Structures are given as C-alpha cells and as structure tokens.
Amino acid sequence: MPMSAGVDACLPIRSDMDLAWVRQHVRQSAARLGFGLVEQTKLVTAASELARNTLVHGGGGRMESARVTRGRAVGLRLTFADEGAGIADLEQALRDGYTSGDGLGLGLGGARRLVHEFSLESTPGVGTTVTVISWASTPPPPREEP
C-alpha cells in the first residue's frame, strides 16, 4: 500500500473555472514530483475527466491530492468526491460506450486506463469517490537546500 504524509491540497469543484484550477494543480504537482511530460498529460487528462464527472454528475464536490511513496517510487494520489446521486451500476459505468449524458461514454473507463491504480466507490443517493494513483517513471529532482 502506498504511504502518504497526508493531503497536500483540497480543491473545490463547483464550476468550470474550478476544473481549470484542478488541471493546473495536477500538472504542477506531477511536474514537481518528476513526472515526464507524457505521464503528466495522462494524469491531467484523467483528472480533467474525473473532475468534470464530479461537477456534472455529482453536482460538485472536491479533489484532494497527496504525494505518495512505495519504496523508492514516488507518485501522486488524487481523490475526487461528491455527494451526488451515486452510480447504481458500477460495472456498466466503467464499460466503454456507456454514457448517462451527452458524452461519448469513454470517461471512467478512459480515466482508468490513463492511471496506474484506480478505485471507485459509489452508493446511490449518497455519492461517489474515485481515487487514482500515478507513479513517476523518473525520480523527482533533488530537493534544493535553503
């Protein structure tokens, strides 16, 4: 199990502007942890989709981010949580082609393929929590001493 020192940031997801802040935060955090450009782009894409789902289908919520480690590996854990209607059929929601709205139905399944670890918990009438972890393929740069 990955080790975390705690939550680094908690961002609200209540508007389209918040989606932009989420993307910016994830890109900056991933870069700071030593993620390459391709890994950053994959994680930002997954985060963007999950944040939009939190806003559109969950009525808004929050994203928490945390630096995690496993041995020498460094990663970024993102948790998206809402108190919306929840997902009645998780298997169906993860299937490519399924959509509960006007989208292409590639959201949850696509986000799952873009990260290394993916967890989805949902209770109808209570809400949904999606947690993803991506690991940097290169070690983070050394810390600068003050």
Side-chain angles (χ1 to χ4, degrees):
M1 170 164 281
M3 299 295 296
S4 171
V7 173
D8 296 326
C10 183
L11 294 124
I13 301 173
R14 294 190 191 100
S15 69
D16 284 341
M17 186 58 154
D18 292 335
L19 301 178
W21 288 115
V22 164
R23 287 189 295 269
Q24 181 179 15
H25 172 80
V26 171
R27 180 162 310 276
Q28 290 174 347
S29 295
R32 198 170 31 255
L33 293 175
F35 282 67
L37 184 58
V38 171
E39 289 85 8
Q40 288 177 41
T41 302
K42 287 179 178 181
L43 186 55
V44 169
T45 301
S48 182
E49 178 61 34
L50 296 171
R52 178 159 295 287
N53 284 353
T54 300
L55 178 62
V56 172
H57 301 293
R62 69 185 183 285
M63 181 202 73
E64 295 178 352
S65 69
R67 177 186 185 271
V68 293
T69 59
R70 183 181 292 146
R72 298 176 110 174
V74 176
L76 186 61
R77 180 182 65 219
L78 305 174
T79 302
F80 298 84
D82 67 60
E83 296 176 1
I87 302 169
D89 187 339
L90 295 178
E91 188 176 319
Q92 181 183 31
L94 287 165
R95 191 175 315 131
D96 285 345
Y98 173 76
T99 181
S100 61
D102 297 330
L104 297 175
L106 299 175
L108 287 174
R112 180 171 58 177
R113 285 188 297 275
L114 291 170
V115 297
H116 296 109
E117 299 177 35
F118 182 96
S119 169
L120 171 61
E121 297 176 16
S122 188
T123 303
V126 176
T128 301
T129 301
V130 179
T131 302
V132 299
I133 299 175
S134 282
W135 299 97
S137 62
T138 59
R143 289 180 120 180
E144 293 183 18
E145 297 298 323

